[in-house]
């Protein structure tokens, strides 16, 4: 009987030892070791710091001179209207966008021989675009101009020595009417001055 008990105890101990071997060598695995070996190494996540988002394109700022005496350079202004007399310029009605506000209006004349009328107006960009679209029906030919950095529209006047010109971009409209005066160089300076 004693031999049977010893044998039974030996069998039970062998079984317990065998079961312990199946569970990984009889030791309890370290949880931190198991987690770190099973989990992938953390990857750096993108910074959540707010970055500057690009703002929608807006109309470039314009710089409209406060006075007719500040238009273009002094030398070109003298060449263009230096021999003419500045006159009151309010009340002229010329092609302009809907809802336009006159920012600067200038008029120079030399009796019936020569004249220059320049009007700078502001309106919404949509109204300026609509105004430009209406010009061909009024006899203007329009095109984009690298020189002016804007739309350039010209209509021949009543004679070969007269013409009407519109230079427009975004919310700004420049109208120039000349009689017996070549003001193209001056207009280029004014457009650069206004549009930057």
């Amino acid at each position: 009987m004693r031999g049977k008990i010893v044998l039974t105890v030996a069998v039970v101990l062998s079984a317990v030892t065998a079961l312990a071997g199946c569970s990984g060598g009889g030791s309890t695995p370290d949880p931190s070791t198991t987690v770190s070996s099973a989990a992938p190494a953390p990857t750096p996540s993108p910074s959540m710091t707010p970055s500057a988002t690009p703002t929608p394109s807006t109309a470039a700022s314009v710089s409209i001179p406060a006075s007719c005496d500040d238009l273009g350079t002094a030398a070109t202004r003298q060449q263009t209207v230096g021999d003419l007399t500045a006159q009151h310029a309010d009340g002229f009605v010329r092609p302009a966008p809907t809802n336009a506000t006159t920012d600067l209006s200038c008029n120079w004349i030399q009796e019936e021989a020569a004249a220059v009328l320049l009007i700078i107006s502001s309106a919404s960009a949509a109204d300026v675009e609509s105004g430009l679209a209406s010009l061909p029906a009024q006899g203007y030919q329009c095109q984009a101009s690298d020189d002016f950095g804007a739309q350039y529209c010209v209509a021949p006047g009543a004679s070969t020595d007269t013409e009407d010109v519109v230079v427009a971009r975004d919310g700004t409209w420049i109208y120039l009417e000349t009689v017996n005066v070549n003001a193209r160089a001056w207009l280029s300076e004014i457009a650069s001055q206004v549009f930057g």
Side-chain angles (χ1 to χ4, degrees):
M1 177 79 180
R2 190 170 204 173
K4 281 183 173 185
I5 292 174
V6 170
L7 183 60
T8 302
V9 170
V11 170
V12 170
L13 284 176
S14 293
V16 169
T17 303
L19 286 174
C22 291
S23 68
S27 64
T28 305
D30 177 41
S32 64
T33 304
T34 304
V35 171
S36 61
S37 64
T43 56
S45 60
S47 171
M48 297 307 289
T49 306
S51 61
T53 54
T55 55
S57 177
T58 57
S61 61
V62 297
S63 177
I64 299 172
S67 166
C68 301
D69 295 331
D70 297 328
L71 290 164
T73 63
T76 307
R77 184 172 58 252
Q78 176 63 33
Q79 290 173 358
T80 309
V81 296
D83 294 334
L84 308 181
T85 303
Q87 298 289 314
H88 186 69
D90 293 337
F92 286 98
V93 178
R94 296 295 187 270
T98 303
N99 302 316
T101 300
T102 300
D103 297 308
L104 185 63
S105 184
C106 308
N107 183 34
W108 297 267
I109 65 168
Q110 185 182 35
E111 298 179 356
E112 300 298 316
V116 174
L117 172 65
L118 183 122
I119 303 170
I120 303 177
S121 305
S122 297
S124 71
D127 284 340
V128 168
E129 286 300 318
S130 179
L132 286 168
S134 74
L135 289 178
Q138 301 175 51
Y140 286 82
Q141 295 178 347
C142 297
Q143 64 185 16
S145 170
D146 291 336
D147 183 34
F148 295 105
Q151 284 293 312
Y152 175 80
C153 303
V154 61
S159 71
T160 57
D161 296 323
T162 64
E163 71 177 2
D164 295 354
V165 176
V166 172
V167 177
R169 190 176 87 190
D170 303 321
T172 303
W173 181 281
I174 302 172
Y175 171 84
L176 174 69
E177 179 182 327
T178 58
V179 177
N180 292 325
V181 175
N182 182 347
R184 293 287 183 94
W186 193 39
L187 178 61
S188 181
E189 288 183 359
I190 293 168
S192 296
Q193 180 181 20
V194 170
F195 296 121

